[in-house]
Amino acid sequence: KDKDVIVYKMHGDIARPDEVIICKDDYERYAIKHPVFQNALEGDLVKKTFLFLGFSFTDPHLEYMLGHLRSLLKESKREHFAIMREVIRADFSSGTKGNKEYKYAKNRQQLQIEDLTRYSIQTLLIKDFKEIPEVLSEIKDYYYQKNIFVSGSAKVFGEFGEERLEKLCYDIGAEIINKGFNLVSGFGLNVGSNAIMGALNSIFSNEKQQIEKRLLLRPFPQTDLAGEALNEFQKKYREDMISKCGFALFVAGNKEGEEVAQGVMQEFEIAKKLRKIPIPIGSTGFASKKIWDEMEIKLGDFFPNSVSKKIFKNLNDSNKSNGEIIKTIFEIIDKVRN
């Protein structure tokens, strides 16, 4: 479903059995008969990160390509990964013969893992293939941790002050880009808009950066929906946006007629449901303060063994400067990612 994921059918498709690569002659003629595919695959092995699943690495064609690329690129090789089921004793019969077969298979697998490192392929051993969905889920979560969602709105500014809040949001947007993260925002009044401006300024200062890769902007569309239909639409809209992030920053959070913006609170609930990491700047007040208060009581549920109460309290300290607040935000992000 992800457009950034490519699935290769190197050796054919069951729907076209006459083209299946199955014997030695087929392998030897592969590069000649499929030059476009060969070049595309070699190019992707250089530019993209591969995850090999259910792969024995006994394929002579792939081994040739990896060796060819290794000799061309020398030390400048792309890192790839493989998931394999670990050889375990239960796979073999009991007795002396079974024990010898187990030791042989265990040593053979270890040598294969060491050999794969020559091609910059790192191997993860699992006990059971049922673990693969969990591993893939964790990879997806880590990938999305590069995306930071900025939630909040500010019709009024409280003790924090308008000028300071706008500058904080601007600097947060700039620092998200500067530190190699990507900004996701829904254009919250005086929060998202300023964060976007900070991010854009950082992007434009580096000609190599592309806006479409660093910013995911989702302004809430104007619709004629009302009541339950509108509420359900907005919830789905928020879920889709937050699902593509790893962290959710909460700044202020009020609107006309709502001292605590319910939309911001809904985004907090969605972040919890989707196992994203909320980071509320409590000192900015309103919804963010309410979120900070809730998290402070059960901090371990949100940051198990990673973020101390001392660090978290910096987010609610009105005496901390904007620079100190931003430093705390990325200290929390670094601790969670590590």
Side-chain angles (χ1 to χ4, degrees), residues 139-156:
I139 292 172
K140 183 190 74 172
D141 290 345
Y142 189 79
Y143 172 79
Y144 280 140
Q145 282 182 4
K146 296 291 288 183
N147 299 334
I148 300 176
F149 175 63
V150 175
S151 170
S153 56
K155 179 70 174 178
V156 296

Side-chain angles (χ1 to χ4, degrees), residues 45 63 84 140 180 185 217 238 240 259 269 275 282 307:
L45 283 165
E63 187 175 4
M84 293 183 185
K140 183 190 74 172
S185 174
L217 306 181
R238 290 184 167 107
D240 182 69
E259 184 174 350
E269 294 300 323
R275 297 189 306 145
V307 177

